[in-house]
Short mmCIF file of all heavy atoms in Angstrom, two decimals:
data_model
loop_
_atom_site.label_atom_id
_atom_site.label_comp_id
_atom_site.label_asym_id
_atom_site.label_seq_id
_atom_site.Cartn_x
_atom_site.Cartn_y
_atom_site.Cartn_z
N SER A 675 -95.15 252.73 52.09
CA SER A 675 -96.07 253.66 51.43
C SER A 675 -97.18 254.12 52.39
O SER A 675 -97.60 255.30 52.36
CB SER A 675 -96.70 253.00 50.19
OG SER A 675 -95.69 252.64 49.26
N MET A 676 -97.64 253.20 53.23
CA MET A 676 -98.67 253.57 54.20
C MET A 676 -98.13 254.55 55.25
O MET A 676 -98.85 255.43 55.71
CB MET A 676 -99.18 252.30 54.90
CG MET A 676 -99.93 251.37 53.95
SD MET A 676 -100.16 249.71 54.64
CE MET A 676 -101.32 250.06 55.97
N ILE A 677 -96.86 254.41 55.59
CA ILE A 677 -96.24 255.28 56.60
C ILE A 677 -95.98 256.66 56.06
O ILE A 677 -96.27 257.67 56.70
CB ILE A 677 -94.93 254.63 57.12
CG1 ILE A 677 -95.25 253.35 57.92
CG2 ILE A 677 -94.15 255.60 58.00
CD1 ILE A 677 -94.02 252.49 58.22
N VAL A 678 -95.37 256.75 54.89
CA VAL A 678 -94.95 258.07 54.37
C VAL A 678 -96.09 258.81 53.71
O VAL A 678 -96.05 260.03 53.55
CB VAL A 678 -93.76 257.96 53.40
CG1 VAL A 678 -92.58 257.26 54.08
CG2 VAL A 678 -94.11 257.25 52.12
N ASN A 679 -97.11 258.08 53.26
CA ASN A 679 -98.24 258.68 52.58
C ASN A 679 -97.76 259.43 51.35
O ASN A 679 -97.08 258.86 50.53
CB ASN A 679 -99.03 259.61 53.55
CG ASN A 679 -100.43 259.07 53.84
OD1 ASN A 679 -101.06 258.53 52.96
ND2 ASN A 679 -100.83 259.22 55.08
N ASP A 680 -98.12 260.72 51.24
CA ASP A 680 -97.77 261.45 50.03
C ASP A 680 -96.50 262.31 50.20
O ASP A 680 -96.20 263.16 49.39
CB ASP A 680 -98.92 262.34 49.59
CG ASP A 680 -99.36 263.35 50.65
OD1 ASP A 680 -98.84 263.28 51.79
OD2 ASP A 680 -100.24 264.18 50.36
N ARG A 681 -95.75 262.08 51.30
CA ARG A 681 -94.51 262.83 51.51
C ARG A 681 -93.41 262.36 50.56
O ARG A 681 -93.38 261.18 50.16
CB ARG A 681 -94.07 262.71 52.95
CG ARG A 681 -94.96 263.46 53.92
CD ARG A 681 -94.57 263.21 55.37
NE ARG A 681 -94.89 261.85 55.82
CZ ARG A 681 -94.53 261.38 57.00
NH1 ARG A 681 -93.83 262.12 57.85
NH2 ARG A 681 -94.88 260.14 57.33
N LEU A 682 -92.52 263.26 50.19
CA LEU A 682 -91.44 262.93 49.26
C LEU A 682 -90.40 262.08 49.94
O LEU A 682 -90.00 262.33 51.09
CB LEU A 682 -90.78 264.22 48.75
CG LEU A 682 -91.67 265.11 47.88
CD1 LEU A 682 -90.97 266.46 47.64
CD2 LEU A 682 -91.98 264.44 46.54
N VAL A 683 -89.92 261.06 49.25
CA VAL A 683 -88.85 260.20 49.76
C VAL A 683 -87.71 260.21 48.74
O VAL A 683 -87.82 259.65 47.64
CB VAL A 683 -89.32 258.75 50.01
CG1 VAL A 683 -88.17 257.91 50.59
CG2 VAL A 683 -90.53 258.71 50.93
N TRP A 684 -86.62 260.87 49.11
CA TRP A 684 -85.40 260.84 48.31
C TRP A 684 -84.50 259.72 48.83
O TRP A 684 -84.64 259.27 49.96
CB TRP A 684 -84.66 262.17 48.44
CG TRP A 684 -85.29 263.31 47.72
CD1 TRP A 684 -86.40 264.00 48.09
CD2 TRP A 684 -84.84 263.88 46.49
NE1 TRP A 684 -86.68 264.99 47.17
CE2 TRP A 684 -85.72 264.94 46.18
CE3 TRP A 684 -83.77 263.63 45.64
CZ2 TRP A 684 -85.56 265.76 45.05
CZ3 TRP A 684 -83.60 264.43 44.51
CH2 TRP A 684 -84.52 265.46 44.22
N ALA A 685 -83.59 259.26 47.99
CA ALA A 685 -82.60 258.29 48.43
C ALA A 685 -81.25 258.60 47.83
O ALA A 685 -81.14 258.96 46.66
CB ALA A 685 -83.03 256.87 48.05
N LEU A 686 -80.24 258.47 48.66
CA LEU A 686 -78.85 258.49 48.20
C LEU A 686 -78.37 257.06 48.31
O LEU A 686 -78.08 256.57 49.41
CB LEU A 686 -78.03 259.42 49.06
CG LEU A 686 -76.53 259.52 48.75
CD1 LEU A 686 -76.28 259.91 47.27
CD2 LEU A 686 -75.84 260.53 49.65
N THR A 687 -78.33 256.36 47.17
CA THR A 687 -77.92 254.97 47.17
C THR A 687 -76.46 254.87 46.79
O THR A 687 -75.96 255.66 45.97
CB THR A 687 -78.77 254.12 46.21
OG1 THR A 687 -78.72 254.69 44.90
CG2 THR A 687 -80.22 254.05 46.68
N THR A 688 -75.80 253.91 47.37
CA THR A 688 -74.39 253.66 47.03
C THR A 688 -74.17 252.16 46.88
O THR A 688 -74.96 251.35 47.38
CB THR A 688 -73.43 254.19 48.14
OG1 THR A 688 -73.83 253.62 49.40
CG2 THR A 688 -73.48 255.69 48.24
N ILE A 689 -73.13 251.82 46.20
CA ILE A 689 -72.58 250.47 46.21
C ILE A 689 -71.14 250.62 46.67
O ILE A 689 -70.35 251.36 46.05
CB ILE A 689 -72.64 249.80 44.82
CG1 ILE A 689 -74.08 249.74 44.33
CG2 ILE A 689 -72.06 248.38 44.88
CD1 ILE A 689 -74.22 249.26 42.89
N THR A 690 -70.82 249.99 47.77
CA THR A 690 -69.49 250.18 48.35
C THR A 690 -68.77 248.86 48.58
O THR A 690 -69.40 247.79 48.61
CB THR A 690 -69.57 250.91 49.71
OG1 THR A 690 -70.19 250.08 50.68
CG2 THR A 690 -70.35 252.23 49.57
N ASN A 691 -67.48 248.95 48.77
CA ASN A 691 -66.69 247.82 49.22
C ASN A 691 -65.52 248.35 50.04
O ASN A 691 -64.77 249.20 49.57
CB ASN A 691 -66.16 247.00 48.03
CG ASN A 691 -65.33 245.81 48.50
OD1 ASN A 691 -65.70 245.12 49.43
ND2 ASN A 691 -64.20 245.61 47.83
N ALA A 692 -65.42 247.87 51.28
CA ALA A 692 -64.33 248.27 52.18
C ALA A 692 -64.21 249.80 52.30
O ALA A 692 -63.11 250.34 52.30
CB ALA A 692 -63.02 247.66 51.70
N GLY A 693 -65.36 250.46 52.39
CA GLY A 693 -65.37 251.90 52.56
C GLY A 693 -65.23 252.70 51.28
O GLY A 693 -65.32 253.93 51.30
N GLN A 694 -65.01 252.03 50.16
CA GLN A 694 -64.89 252.71 48.87
C GLN A 694 -66.25 252.77 48.21
O GLN A 694 -66.97 251.80 48.16
CB GLN A 694 -63.91 251.97 47.94
CG GLN A 694 -62.50 251.88 48.45
CD GLN A 694 -61.60 251.21 47.43
OE1 GLN A 694 -61.67 251.47 46.25
NE2 GLN A 694 -60.78 250.29 47.91
N ILE A 695 -66.58 253.93 47.68
CA ILE A 695 -67.84 254.11 46.95
C ILE A 695 -67.58 253.83 45.48
O ILE A 695 -66.83 254.51 44.81
CB ILE A 695 -68.37 255.54 47.14
CG1 ILE A 695 -68.69 255.76 48.63
CG2 ILE A 695 -69.62 255.77 46.29
CD1 ILE A 695 -68.96 257.20 48.99
N LEU A 696 -68.21 252.76 45.00
CA LEU A 696 -68.00 252.31 43.63
C LEU A 696 -69.06 252.85 42.66
O LEU A 696 -68.83 252.89 41.45
CB LEU A 696 -67.99 250.77 43.55
CG LEU A 696 -67.13 250.04 44.57
CD1 LEU A 696 -67.21 248.54 44.33
CD2 LEU A 696 -65.68 250.50 44.48
N TRP A 697 -70.21 253.22 43.23
CA TRP A 697 -71.34 253.67 42.39
C TRP A 697 -72.30 254.43 43.31
O TRP A 697 -72.40 254.13 44.51
CB TRP A 697 -72.04 252.43 41.80
CG TRP A 697 -73.18 252.73 40.87
CD1 TRP A 697 -73.11 252.78 39.50
CD2 TRP A 697 -74.55 252.99 41.21
NE1 TRP A 697 -74.35 253.06 38.97
CE2 TRP A 697 -75.24 253.21 40.00
CE3 TRP A 697 -75.25 253.08 42.40
CZ2 TRP A 697 -76.61 253.49 39.96
CZ3 TRP A 697 -76.60 253.37 42.39
CH2 TRP A 697 -77.27 253.56 41.18
N SER A 698 -73.01 255.40 42.78
CA SER A 698 -73.97 256.16 43.59
C SER A 698 -75.06 256.77 42.72
O SER A 698 -74.85 257.03 41.52
CB SER A 698 -73.25 257.25 44.37
OG SER A 698 -74.13 257.94 45.23
#
């Protein structure tokens, strides 16, 4: 929070196994 300040932080989160995307 101290580093980014008020800049927007988006995230593309995944849950994977062996290269397969199970959730995002």
Side-chain angles (χ1 to χ4, degrees):
S675 299
M676 294 166 68
I677 292 168
V678 304
N679 247 322
D680 58 355
R681 290 175 289 175
L682 294 170
V683 182
W684 287 76
L686 178 55
T687 56
T688 55
I689 302 172
T690 68
N691 180 43
Q694 297 183 45
I695 297 169
L696 311 182
W697 183 96
S698 183

